[in-house]
């Protein structure tokens, strides 16, 4: 099979001068795609000529790859399919596209001539880096034409805008609208550019007065209180970064006790208290405030004395409560610390220099005491982490003399664990049973724990029988660190309850061992459930006792009935004898 490529395909052509030929006559030709496309715009006739059946669009698909096949009259392939590549050449059929409806640039009013103020980048969908996609830019209109037309120029092929004639002044006009023609070889498009003029910061804030006098406050004045309003003005454009005023204390308040908030509408400054005032450390302060703009001043303009104001802050003394050196005091001690051990200390000072006395509140367990003078805290009773691992008490510091003002803080005592609890069963095992009679050795599983911290005991218990006499009947095997299995060694057990002593060792430091009783009941089972007689309770007779009582009752009743029967018989005999005697003594009647 041969292939001859004659020319490239262009939009609107009806055929592709591409021809394939089989060496012998009678071949039947067909085309099929290499990859499935939304549409396949080619066909082939039985002469081997390939045609374009639909318009081609390079922006949709710039190339096609497909195969031409030749078969004989029976449909048998005559040769391997021939791969054909078609490249779609671009034509200039797309106009330039503006990047947005309006492109916005901003420029300061003191911008120098020739400065770049922005770039307009239009787009053309035709093939890149060809004559069809090269764009040119030209300003066709400036609105308004104040103070003159032609204030801006644009680089023809880069789209870069520059200031052409003079520096801009916002008072002339705050905004310019430019109409820009963007063109390629055949098409033209109008794009729109908006240039906003930004006011420059060439005016400094000026205080309405330079000295606000003396300001007297008590040292316990509330935080957040507004204590003074100051005012400066700025001649730059209102409500811009050039005219907004920020007030900053530059002298007299190294502790940052004061702050100044600015009203965004009026530029008034509200002096507030940010931290507590302190007569003892700063009774009198000479405060210096500077008014500034958040936006930098232009070159050649600097702040001067007109942007400064002062006032004197006088703080009066107030009797204050003691102050603790920390917000919260914390300590850690082992739970086995001896009674009388020092566990921590607190410190507080009175601002007026008075002595301080310490006391405790909330010592609900009675574990601690505090030295009233030194603030040392010690134990007065045994500590127990298992009862309470984090113990919180309130410490009260009261000034001695004066107004007896006081302050409180928390003392947190963390108790660290020691291995002082023997192991125990994790629950009360009342439902352990084995079916009676045993057909094979059986077993039950149980779990151990103790009340010490897991990190100390490590969940590594060891288990053993608590009595050597049971070793022929029972055995204990460990399953894991907390679980074990109690198993029978034979099947010859009675139908009753067995209390098996189990010895458990926690392996701690020092190791503790406990012996527990594990109840196991042998009982008759029905469908896997245990049915066993109720256990004897105090005051309730057993079955044997009940039977004995019942028999005794029947015996007593029988004796009573026998006695009654005998007496009745005797009485009948007496009555019969009396009747006979009476008859003998009576005379005969005819």
């Amino acid at each position: 099979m041969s292939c001859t490529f004659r020319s490239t395909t262009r939009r609107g052509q009806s055929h592709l001068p591409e021809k394939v030929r089989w060496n012998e006559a009678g071949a039947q030709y067909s085309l099929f795609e290499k990859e499935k496309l939304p549409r396949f715009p080619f066909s082939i006739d039985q002469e081997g000529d390939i045609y374009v059946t639909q318009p081609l669009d390079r922006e949709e698909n710039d190339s096609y790859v497909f195969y031409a096949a030749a078969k004989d009259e029976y449909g048998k392939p005559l040769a391997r399919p021939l791969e054909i590549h078609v490249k779609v050449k671009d034509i200039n059929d797309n106009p330039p596209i503006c990047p947005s409806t309006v492109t916005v640039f901003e420029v300061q009013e003191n911008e120098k001539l020739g400065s770049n103020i922005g770039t307009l980048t239009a787009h053309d969908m035709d093939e890149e880096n060809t004559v069809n996609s090269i764009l040119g830019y030209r300003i066709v209109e400036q609105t308004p034409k104040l103070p003159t037309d032609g204030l801006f120029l644009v680089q023809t092929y880069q789209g870069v805008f520059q200031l052409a004639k003079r520096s801009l002044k916002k008072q002339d006009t705050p905004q310019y609208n430019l109409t820009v023609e963007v063109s390629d070889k055949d098409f033209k498009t109008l794009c729109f550019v908006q240039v906003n003029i930004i006011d420059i910061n060439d005016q400094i804030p000026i205080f309405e007065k330079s000295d606000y006098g003396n300001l007297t406050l008590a040292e316990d004045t509330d935080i957040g209180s507004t204590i003074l309003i100051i005012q400066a003005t700025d001649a730059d454009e209102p409500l811009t970064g050039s005219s907004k005023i920020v007030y900053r204390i530059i002298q007299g308040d190294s502790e940052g006790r004061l702050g100044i908030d600015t009203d965004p509408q009026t530029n008034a400054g509200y002096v507030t208290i940010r931290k507590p005032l302190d007569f003892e450390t700063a009774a009198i302060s000479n405060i210096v405030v500077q008014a500034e703009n958040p936006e930098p001043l232009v070159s050649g303009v600097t702040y001067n004395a007109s942007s400064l104001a002062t006032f004197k802050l006088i703080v009066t003394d107030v009797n204050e409560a003691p102050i603790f050196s920390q917000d919260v005091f914390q300590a850690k001690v082992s739970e086995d610390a001896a009674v009388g051990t020092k566990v921590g200390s607190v410190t507080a000072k009175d601002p007026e220099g008075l002595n301080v006395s310490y006391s405790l509140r909330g010592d609900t367990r009675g574990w601690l005491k505090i030295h009233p003078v030194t603030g040392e805290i010690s134990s007065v009773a045994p500590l127990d982490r298992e009862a309470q691992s984090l113990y919180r008490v309130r410490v009260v510091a009261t000034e001695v003399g004066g107004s007896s003002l006081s302050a409180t803080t928390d003392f947190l005592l963390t108790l660290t664990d020691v291995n002082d609890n023997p192991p125990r069963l994790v629950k009360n095992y009342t439902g352990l049973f084995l079916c009676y009679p045993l057909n094979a050795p059986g077993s039950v599983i149980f779990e151990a724990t103790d009340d010490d911290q897991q990190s100390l005991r490590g969940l590594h218990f060891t288990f053993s029988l608590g009595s050597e006499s049971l070793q022929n009947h029972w055995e204990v095997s460990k399953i894991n660190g907390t679980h074990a299995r109690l198993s029978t060694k034979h099947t010859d057990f009675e139908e009753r309850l067995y209390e098996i002593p189990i010895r458990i060792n926690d392996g701690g430091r020092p190791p503790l061992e406990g012996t527990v009783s594990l109840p196991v009941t042998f009982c008759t089972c029905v469908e896997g459930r245990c049915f066993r007689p109720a256990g004897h309770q105090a005051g309730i007779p057993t079955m044997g006792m009940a039977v004995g009582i019942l028999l005794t009752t029947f015996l007593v009743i029988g004796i009573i009935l026998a006695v009654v029967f005998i007496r009745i018989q005797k009485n009948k005999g007496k009555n019969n004898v009396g009747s006979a005697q009476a008859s003998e003594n009576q005379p005969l009647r005819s």
Side-chain angles (χ1 to χ4, degrees), residues 321-365:
I323 300 174
F324 282 97
S325 60
Q326 297 175 207
D327 293 332
V328 176
F329 292 86
Q330 301 184 60
K332 183 182 293 186
V333 68
S334 175
E335 65 173 330
D336 63 348
V339 173
T341 299
K342 176 184 174 182
V343 298
S345 63
V346 299
T347 55
K349 290 185 179 180
D350 183 74
E352 287 72 42
L354 298 176
N355 292 329
V356 175
S357 176
Y358 301 98
S359 61
L360 295 180
R361 290 180 187 169
D363 183 16
T364 56
R365 297 188 179 274

Side-chain angles (χ1 to χ4, degrees), residues 191-442:
C191 297
F192 301 95
V193 174
Q194 178 180 303
V195 182
N196 294 328
I197 311 305
I198 301 174
D199 181 46
I200 61 173
N201 190 14
D202 56 356
Q203 301 292 322
I204 64 172
I206 298 176
F207 272 102
E208 62 179 9
K209 57 182 179 179
S210 60
D211 189 352
Y212 283 85
N214 297 339
L215 187 63
T216 301
L217 299 173
E219 64 176 338
D220 62 352
T221 302
D222 292 338
I223 293 176
S225 300
T226 299
I227 60 175
L228 180 65
I229 300 177
I230 58 179
Q231 182 71 64
T233 57
D234 192 298
D236 287 310
E237 182 184 1
L239 304 178
T240 67
S242 298
S243 62
K244 182 180 178 180
I245 297 176
V246 177
Y247 298 96
R248 184 167 60 92
I249 297 176
I250 62 174
Q251 185 176 321
D253 185 29
S254 59
E255 297 294 326
R257 301 183 187 277
L258 303 180
I260 306 177
D261 299 316
T262 304
D263 185 318
Q265 301 299 321
T266 65
N267 272 337
Y270 294 86
V271 184
T272 59
I273 297 178
R274 298 281 177 86
K275 296 181 181 180
L277 303 178
D278 189 3
F279 169 82
E280 285 72 27
T281 59
I284 299 176
S285 301
N286 294 308
I287 308 297
V288 180
V289 180
Q290 178 165 319
E292 302 173 338
N293 300 129
E295 189 171 297
L297 296 172
V298 298
S299 178
V301 179
T302 59
Y303 296 107
N304 55 39
S306 300
S307 299
L308 300 177
T310 63
F311 66 91
K312 180 177 289 187
L313 177 61
I314 301 172
V315 180
T316 59
D317 190 25
V318 174
N319 186 26
E320 299 170 278
I323 300 174
F324 282 97
S325 60
Q326 297 175 207
D327 293 332
V328 176
F329 292 86
Q330 301 184 60
K332 183 182 293 186
V333 68
S334 175
E335 65 173 330
D336 63 348
V339 173
T341 299
K342 176 184 174 182
V343 298
S345 63
V346 299
T347 55
K349 290 185 179 180
D350 183 74
E352 287 72 42
L354 298 176
N355 292 329
V356 175
S357 176
Y358 301 98
S359 61
L360 295 180
R361 290 180 187 169
D363 183 16
T364 56
R365 297 188 179 274
W367 283 352
L368 305 175
K369 71 174 181 180
I370 189 169
H371 194 285
V373 177
T374 64
E376 289 188 357
I377 300 175
S378 56
S379 64
V380 293
L383 306 177
D384 185 1
R385 188 204 67 84
E386 285 68 43
Q388 191 167 348
S389 60
L390 179 62
Y391 194 51
R392 180 192 300 266
V393 295
R394 298 284 286 174
V395 181
V396 182
T398 305
E399 62 181 15
V400 179
S403 302
S404 298
L405 297 178
S406 63
T408 60
T409 191
D410 284 331
F411 177 75
L412 303 180
L413 179 62
T414 300
L415 300 180
T416 58
D417 195 30
V418 295
N419 195 29
D420 57 352
N421 289 278
R424 58 178 176 82
L425 292 177
V426 76
K427 64 180 180 179
N428 185 18
Y429 285 95
T430 59
L432 298 178
F433 71 92
L434 295 172
C435 291
Y436 176 86
L438 284 178
N439 296 323

Side-chain angles (χ1 to χ4, degrees), residues 85-104:
H85 294 259
V86 176
K87 179 175 177 59
V88 183
K89 287 189 64 176
D90 185 40
I91 63 172
N92 190 22
D93 57 350
N94 290 283
I97 300 174
C98 301
S100 59
T101 304
V102 178
T103 301
V104 179

Side-chain angles (χ1 to χ4, degrees), residues 180-191:
V180 182
E181 180 186 271
V182 184
S183 60
D184 62 15
K185 184 168 65 72
D186 299 307
F187 296 95
K188 295 179 180 179
T189 300
L190 295 181
C191 297

Side-chain angles (χ1 to χ4, degrees), residues 1-3 20-27 29 70 78-79:
M1 179 179 289
S2 63
C3 176
V20 293
R21 287 284 187 275
W22 179 241
N23 296 329
E24 299 176 4
Y29 302 103
L78 297 173

